[in-house]
Amino acid sequence: MKTQTLLIYFFFSLLVSFSCEASTRSLKIEDDGFVATYYSSASQERKVGVLVLGGSEGGVPEKLASPIVEAGFPTLALAYFKEEGLPPELERIPLEYVIQAMSWLKSQPETTPDNIIVVGWSKGAELSLLLASKEPSISNVVAIAPSSVVWAGILKDWSKVPGSSWTYDGQDLAFVPFNPSGEVNGLLDLYTQSLENRADNGKANIPVQKISADVVLMTGENDEIWPSPTMAETVCEKMNARTKRKCKHINYQGADHLLNYEFLKEGSDMNQTFIKMLTNHNNH
């Protein structure tokens, strides 16, 4: 009897293992053209796919994707640097690479072919808004700690001068370089001073007026990396001047750059807001 019970448990565990494995797929540059983890939805109905973009940590953004997957969305967590076959550092990343991954996600049998949701944090939030300004099929953007401009890339060796973070059609996008005018006390000071010393005549602004998607920006009052609350306000002012109620900015008191990861915690108020904003287009 004991042996029979053990066998039943073994086969049940095997079945669960196969089931989990079938719902998750790793994509590689040599086979698929990009590096990502795809989490398919168990739903029989087609759902809007969610493209997830991490920040300067690089690699596949599984942590950011986790609450979205838990909420039942077909989700593509995309790496755009710091993985095998990809650039080692965040500099001159082609937007076409990300657009290719978007097209793949929309072509899956469980996703809707005409629209897509994009979620990003930090540099991934910058990238999300940039993509939405070029891709009308993006229906919703949720960006945590966003930027209003294209920034210089991020290199490990700070003595080197980085080029643009992104390219399009083989050309570097105009960007705000790191250009402090005085003593620098941390990253927030570096980015703030660099914004104040801009000399690009607005060319590095993300053209958010072209975004047709509904946009939600989530920032922390105590962002220690860059002035995301100020930049988020700039984005929403421009978008809402063109189309009312198109952009919403939620600023959390006492929260840091990535909101103390509170929005990742299932059941928290911030998590519920985050998940709701993925599809609630008229969210104001």
Side-chain angles (χ1 to χ4, degrees):
M1 187 69 180
K2 187 176 181 181
T3 303
Q4 186 180 10
T5 303
L6 284 172
L7 281 171
I8 291 170
Y9 176 77
F10 171 75
F11 284 117
F12 176 75
S13 299
L14 204 59
L15 184 63
V16 170
S17 172
F18 285 156
S19 170
C20 292
E21 192 175 334
S23 66
T24 304
R25 177 180 167 190
S26 294
L27 298 109
K28 298 181 179 180
I29 195 83
E30 59 268 25
D31 300 324
D32 306 287
F34 55 90
V35 180
T37 300
Y38 179 56
Y39 306 86
S40 61
S41 171
S43 173
Q44 297 302 309
E45 295 181 8
R46 282 193 164 198
K47 289 189 172 185
V48 182
V50 181
L51 177 68
V52 177
L53 302 168
S56 60
E57 72 279 4
V60 177
E62 293 176 350
K63 188 170 188 174
L64 177 55
S66 178
I68 302 166
V69 174
E70 288 294 321
F73 290 90
T75 305
L76 185 68
L78 179 70
Y80 52 91
F81 78 105
K82 207 174 171 183
E83 285 284 352
E84 187 175 349
L86 298 181
E89 298 186 280
L90 205 174
E91 184 188 36
R92 297 189 171 99
I93 307 299
L95 294 188
E96 289 89 345
Y97 167 85
V98 187
I99 292 168
Q100 178 187 358
M102 283 176 46
S103 297
W104 182 93
L105 178 58
K106 288 188 293 181
S107 72
Q108 297 312 295
E110 58 268 68
T111 64
T112 55
D114 300 324
N115 56 348
I116 192 170
I117 300 165
V118 181
V119 176
W121 66 18
S122 195
K123 290 295 289 186
E126 176 186 326
L127 178 55
S128 298
L129 292 172
L130 196 52
L131 287 168
S133 73
K134 295 183 177 297
E135 289 293 313
S137 64
I138 297 175
S139 59
N140 241 43
V141 173
V142 178
I144 297 103
S147 173
S148 57
V149 302
V150 171
W151 282 102
I154 299 174
L155 303 176
K156 291 176 184 176
D157 186 351
W158 282 87
S159 68
K160 294 181 180 179
V161 178
S164 182
S165 294
W166 324 106
T167 69
Y168 188 68
D169 199 21
Q171 301 295 315
D172 284 17
L173 295 186
F175 65 98
V176 177
F178 299 123
N179 183 29
S181 53
E183 183 182 348
V184 175
N185 297 304
L187 286 173
L188 177 59
D189 194 22
L190 173 65
Y191 279 103
T192 301
Q193 287 193 45
S194 298
L195 270 182
E196 292 169 351
N197 296 328
R198 288 179 64 178
D200 59 276
N201 294 319
K203 291 180 181 177
N205 291 343
I206 297 173
V208 295
Q209 303 93 320
K210 296 181 180 180
I211 294 177
S212 59
D214 290 305
V215 171
V216 177
L217 308 175
M218 300 172 71
T219 63
E221 175 196 25
N222 297 332
D223 191 328
E224 72 286 11
I225 303 298
W226 62 19
S228 62
T230 302
M231 293 192 290
E233 281 299 306
T234 299
V235 170
C236 277
E237 282 174 12
K238 289 181 179 180
M239 287 191 66
N240 292 336
R242 183 175 178 271
T243 306
K244 289 183 179 180
R245 298 160 61 90
K246 202 67 178 167
C247 179
K248 181 175 183 177
H249 175 207
I250 308 172
N251 180 246
Y252 289 96
Q253 302 300 299
D256 64 11
H257 184 61
L258 297 181
L259 311 181
N260 304 345
Y261 295 125
E262 186 66 23
F263 72 101
L264 300 180
K265 299 174 184 174
E266 189 174 3
S268 70
D269 289 344
M270 199 186 294
N271 172 264
Q272 291 176 12
T273 298
F274 172 65
I275 297 302
K276 179 183 176 184
M277 293 303 172
L278 292 176
T279 55
N280 189 355
H281 291 251
N282 202 3
N283 43 47
H284 312 301

